Amino acid sequence: MKYIANITVMPLKELLDPQGKAVSGSLHNLGITGIQDVRIGKHIILQIEAPDEATAQALAQESCKKLLANPVMESFSIQLSAGA
Amino acid sequence: MKYIANITVMPLKELLDPQGKAVSGSLHNLGITGIQDVRIGKHIILQIEAPDEATAQALAQESCKKLLANPVMESFSIQLSAGA
């Protein structure tokens, strides 16, 4: 069966996010006020072929831990859904 | 009032995603099989101070159009929620 994993990888809350700070400054320079904080991370969509949902979830989790997220600086969350 | 905008910016489906292709190859090299396709985009969290939800939504939309997403190559979606 096919599954779609929507993975969000964000910098940990405790850490400074320089990319977000830069965008925050740029928004102000563009005249867009009212935005107080910006944090930028990655969004990754995996198409997984697996026999069941538990296997697909395990595959997504393993991918995050081994390659997609750096646990020292980032946290990740996985949302799994059945694919078309 | 405070609002949190969760914005996902993804490369358009019609376009090749070289970063995703590279990650897909790396996953296979790591011995993680069963992942057929990878697409990588950005996840952006904005903290918005606005009088009402419509204003916050408009601010997030404007930020995406002017700075966060490149409409030639990327599509974006905004999910707004009331902040703490």
Side-chain angles (χ1 to χ4, degrees):
Chain A
M1 237 193 108
K2 281 208 166 98
Y3 295 92
I4 307 279
N6 273 281
I7 299 170
T8 304
V9 180
M10 295 300 294
L12 292 174
K13 279 199 181 64
E14 300 78 26
L15 298 177
L16 194 70
D17 174 11
Q19 203 186 352
K21 283 275 170 287
V23 165
S24 184
S26 299
L27 287 172
H28 278 276
N29 293 343
L30 284 171
I32 302 173
T33 53
I35 291 173
Q36 299 182 317
D37 192 43
V38 182
R39 291 190 81 77
I40 300 184
K42 286 177 286 187
H43 191 89
I44 301 158
I45 300 179
L46 302 179
Q47 254 187 48
I48 303 175
E49 175 75 46
D52 55 63
E53 201 172 321
T55 314
Q57 177 80 31
L59 264 175
Q61 193 100 14
E62 194 187 356
S63 306
C64 285
K65 283 192 180 156
K66 284 197 178 164
L67 185 69
L68 302 174
N70 172 2
V72 176
M73 297 176 60
E74 296 166 326
S75 66
F76 64 86
S77 67
I78 301 171
Q79 250 189 319
L80 201 72
S81 57
Chain B
M1 237 194 106
K2 280 208 166 95
Y3 295 93
I4 307 280
N6 274 280
I7 300 170
T8 303
V9 181
M10 295 300 292
L12 291 174
K13 280 201 181 59
E14 301 77 28
L15 298 177
L16 193 71
D17 175 11
Q19 203 186 354
K21 283 276 170 287
V23 166
S24 184
S26 300
L27 286 173
H28 278 277
N29 293 343
L30 283 171
I32 301 173
T33 54
I35 291 172
Q36 299 182 317
D37 192 43
V38 182
R39 289 189 83 78
I40 299 184
K42 285 176 285 185
H43 191 88
I44 301 158
I45 300 179
L46 301 180
Q47 255 187 47
I48 303 175
E49 174 76 45
D52 55 64
E53 199 170 324
T55 314
Q57 177 80 31
L59 264 175
Q61 195 101 14
E62 194 187 357
S63 307
C64 284
K65 283 193 181 153
K66 284 198 179 161
L67 185 69
L68 302 174
N70 171 2
V72 176
M73 299 176 60
E74 296 166 327
S75 66
F76 64 86
S77 67
I78 300 171
Q79 251 191 317
L80 200 71
S81 57

